């Protein structure tokens, strides 16, 4: 195994398997398959951008919130779009609007090959629908790298909170050629975060299906409701599997961000009626959703707070467990989540 600074995160089960480090290496020597590793020796031993953008690495006490256009108080709504999605189809409807109105040149989404997540660039509004609905296994951000390589200039990215945190740092990092103290004028235009409690191992999802005599080709939708993994088939059969039966990404145990706090807007189902999506608007950019979807007030914010607390409690429990077992504790969390340091200045 090659010497790489991020091994301290990966080998100690702190890695979020977000895939961000794998898309920023200028030498393209970081490969990602469920977790990242080096495929060749790195002359800098990983003391580079991959380390700096990792959401599990603290980059100083200053918050990106100070530098970004974050609202003092986020706005909560719920709504429903015109695309059939996981919940209210809000994410896909917004992406369609951004493409149709030429606010972006491409959307970085997670499609699937028989429910195996695939990172995709979508440039045609009509194709957005095909990438709707949640895939609950580990995915990559490969399409974002590809978009840069083929010259797609302005993109919106949909990501889990860990990915959004890494990508928000990326927007501000001085290594980027176009950096001028502001987020890139080109590049990532919108960060759309999904609520998240954990993501699962694809292999384990496949095993669960096999045990229940189900084929991936027959699955219409996966969902997580009240601690159960719900599998719906095209002939409307529903199977409810206890979440404990599915292996999840260990690094999720040290995650504290339920609702993608670094996103321009965050979307989930917690706090909304069935078949609606909850929308949290956090930045000026995020407000563009208001031009797309009729948003209603009345989200059950207490429920969202309960979910945040559950995640925080899991995090604290994991730290305690690690402390008792003498396992590594990384101190990225001594500062607030995902800050980008301005250091002395
Ligand atoms: C792993 C995971 C865990 C989640 N946990 C919760 C939870 O605990 N509570 C909650 O309220 N909501 C959770 N969500 C979010 C929820 O499932 C919906 O994605 C959200 O409500 C948006 O629904 P929609 O109908 O508006 O989106 P849609 O219009 O269906 O669009 C969904 C978008 O998400 C993208 N996408 C799908 N899978 C992934 C993925 N793995 N990574 C990144 N992007 C992806 C799709 O490409 C699409 O653009 C989770 C989602 C995922 C993927
Ligand atoms: S958390 Fe993300 S950026 Fe950090 S090592 Fe893991 S995959 Fe790479
Ligand atoms: S819980 Fe969700 S956001 Fe947190 S590390 Fe796991 S996948 Fe990422």
């Amino acid at each position: 195994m090659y010497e790489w600074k991020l091994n301290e995160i990966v080998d100690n089960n702190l890695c979020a398997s977000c895939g961000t480090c794998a898309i920023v290496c200028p030498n393209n020597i970081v490969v990602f398959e469920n977790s990242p590793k080096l495929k060749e020796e790195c002359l800098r031993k990983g003391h580079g951008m991959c380390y700096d953008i990792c959401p599990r690495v603290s980059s100083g006490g200053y918050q990106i919130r100070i530098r970004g256009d974050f609202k003092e108080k986020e706005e909560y709504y719920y709504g429903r779009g015109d695309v059939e999605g996981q919940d209210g189809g809000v994410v896909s409807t917004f992406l369609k609007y951004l493409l149709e109105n030429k606010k972006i040149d491409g959307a970085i989404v997670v499609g699937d090959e028989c429910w195996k997540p695939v990172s995709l660039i979508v440039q045609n509004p009509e194709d957005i629908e095909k990438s709707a609905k949640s895939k609950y296994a580990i995915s990559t951000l490969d399409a974002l790298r590809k978009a840069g390589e083929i010259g797609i200039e302005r993109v919106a990215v949909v990501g889990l909170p860990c990915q959004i945190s890494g990508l928000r740092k990326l927007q501000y990092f001085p290594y980027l050629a176009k950096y001028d103290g502001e987020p890139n004028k080109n590049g990532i235009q919108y960060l759309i975060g999904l609520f998240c409690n954990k993501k699962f191992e694809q292999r384990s999802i496949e095993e669960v299906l096999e045990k229940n005599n189900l084929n991936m080709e027959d699955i219409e939708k996966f969902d997580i409701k009240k601690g159960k993994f719900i599998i719906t088939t095209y002939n409307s059969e529903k199977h409810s599997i206890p979440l404990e039966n599915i292996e999840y990404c260990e690094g999720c145990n040290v995650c504290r961000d339920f609702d993608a706090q670094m996103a321009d807007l965050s979307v989930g189902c917690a706090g909304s009626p069935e078949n609606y999506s909850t929308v949290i608007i956090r930045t000026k950019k995020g407000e563009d959703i208001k031009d797309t979807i009729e948003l209603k007030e009345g989200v059950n914010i207490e429920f969202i707070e309960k979910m945040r607390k559950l995640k925080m409690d899991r995090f604290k429990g994991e730290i305690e467990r690690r402390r008792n077992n003498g396992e590594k504790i990384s101190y990225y969390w001594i500062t607030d989540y995902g800050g980008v340091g301005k250091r002395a200045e």
Side-chain angles (χ1 to χ4, degrees):
M1 194 166 69
Y2 300 110
E3 198 180 324
W4 187 40
K5 202 158 162 49
L6 277 173
N7 284 337
E8 73 189 43
I9 301 291
V10 180
D11 296 346
N12 289 297
N13 293 329
L14 296 162
C15 172
S17 287
C18 67
T20 322
C21 53
I23 62 160
V24 296
C25 171
N27 300 315
N28 212 353
I29 56 172
V30 181
V31 286
F32 184 88
E33 206 174 300
N34 270 356
S35 65
K37 65 169 192 234
L38 282 189
K39 66 175 178 188
E40 287 169 32
E41 188 176 359
C42 167
L43 296 177
R44 301 185 64 195
K45 315 283 181 222
H47 289 259
M49 197 153 162
C50 55
Y51 190 78
D52 290 339
I53 54 86
C54 171
R56 292 295 190 255
V57 172
S58 168
S59 32
Y62 272 86
Q63 273 294 295
I64 200 163
R65 287 179 175 281
I66 298 166
R67 302 171 69 184
D69 205 4
F70 278 81
K71 291 174 169 292
E72 240 169 73
K73 210 167 177 302
E74 58 266 278
E75 296 172 30
Y76 292 79
Y77 301 101
Y78 69 97
R80 205 168 156 168
D82 57 14
V83 175
E84 194 199 328
Q86 181 71 21
D87 295 302
V90 162
V91 174
S92 301
T93 307
F94 185 47
L95 292 174
K96 219 168 102 183
Y97 161 85
L98 293 176
L99 284 169
E100 277 166 355
N101 290 279
K102 314 254 176 290
K103 287 181 178 268
I104 55 169
D105 307 308
I108 309 299
V109 297
V110 177
D112 70 290
E113 276 167 10
C114 217
W115 289 105
K116 191 165 188 272
V118 183
S119 177
L120 289 178
I121 313 166
V122 179
Q123 291 194 271
N124 186 341
E126 280 94 68
D127 291 337
I128 281 290
E129 245 166 270
K130 294 180 206 152
S131 62
K133 296 188 185 162
S134 300
K135 291 93 202 173
Y136 287 101
I138 294 168
S139 61
T140 72
L141 289 164
D142 288 352
L144 182 57
R145 181 174 193 121
K146 187 96 197 139
E149 284 166 0
I150 61 177
I152 297 178
E153 289 222 324
R154 301 164 311 150
V155 296
V157 188
V158 186
L160 298 171
C162 48
Q163 296 174 318
I164 297 295
S165 176
L167 295 176
R168 185 63 90 186
K169 289 197 209 178
L170 182 64
Q171 268 187 323
Y172 282 85
F173 261 77
Y175 309 90
L176 295 164
K178 297 184 181 95
Y179 180 79
D180 58 2
E182 292 291 320
N184 278 346
K185 296 284 185 304
N186 293 320
I188 302 169
Q189 296 290 311
Y190 296 86
L191 283 172
I192 305 167
L194 303 176
F195 293 4
C196 179
N197 195 28
K198 56 176 72 148
K199 66 187 162 202
F200 299 86
E201 301 282 345
Q202 177 73 12
R203 177 192 43 77
S204 188
I205 297 178
E206 286 167 9
E207 281 168 12
V208 161
L209 257 71
E210 213 176 296
K211 273 188 203 147
N212 287 274
N213 296 319
L214 292 166
N215 293 318
M216 281 289 185
E217 305 87 69
D218 301 329
I219 308 304
E220 189 186 359
K221 192 180 183 187
F222 291 104
D223 211 345
I224 295 178
K225 290 261 146 68
K226 295 183 181 151
K228 295 276 194 299
F229 195 64
I230 316 279
I231 306 169
T232 310
T233 63
Y234 283 111
N235 53 14
S236 302
E237 270 175 40
K238 275 198 196 296
H239 297 255
S240 173
I241 315 287
L243 279 184
E244 308 82 79
N245 294 3
I246 315 174
E247 274 173 56
Y248 66 95
C249 161
E250 271 192 68
C252 295
N253 285 330
V254 289
C255 177
R256 302 181 308 165
D257 187 359
F258 171 68
D259 50 317
Q261 289 170 24
M262 289 295 142
D264 291 301
L265 75 158
S266 308
V267 188
C269 62
S272 284
E274 189 82 13
N275 298 326
Y276 281 87
S277 307
T278 305
V279 179
I280 308 178
I281 299 177
R282 304 179 183 282
T283 66
K284 192 125 197 54
K285 284 234 159 167
E287 283 187 1
D288 287 0
I289 185 100
K290 291 180 178 171
D291 300 331
T292 325
I293 284 162
E294 196 195 322
L295 295 171
K296 300 180 184 107
E297 291 191 9
V299 170
N300 185 345
I301 300 174
E302 273 155 43
F303 185 72
I304 297 174
E305 271 160 8
K306 197 172 131 199
M307 298 307 290
R308 287 178 183 140
K309 183 172 180 306
L310 277 176
K311 203 161 185 182
M312 199 54 160
D313 289 346
R314 182 176 75 189
F315 166 80
K316 286 181 189 159
E318 173 65 8
I319 298 307
E320 200 50 35
R321 190 195 65 74
R322 283 173 180 259
R323 198 170 274 134
N324 294 338
N325 288 352
E327 289 175 35
K328 184 167 168 77
I329 299 174
S330 156
Y331 285 98
Y332 82 96
W333 43 75
I334 54 174
T335 61
D336 276 336
Y337 202 89
V340 167
K342 266 181 103 183
R343 312 286 153 119
E345 81 271 25

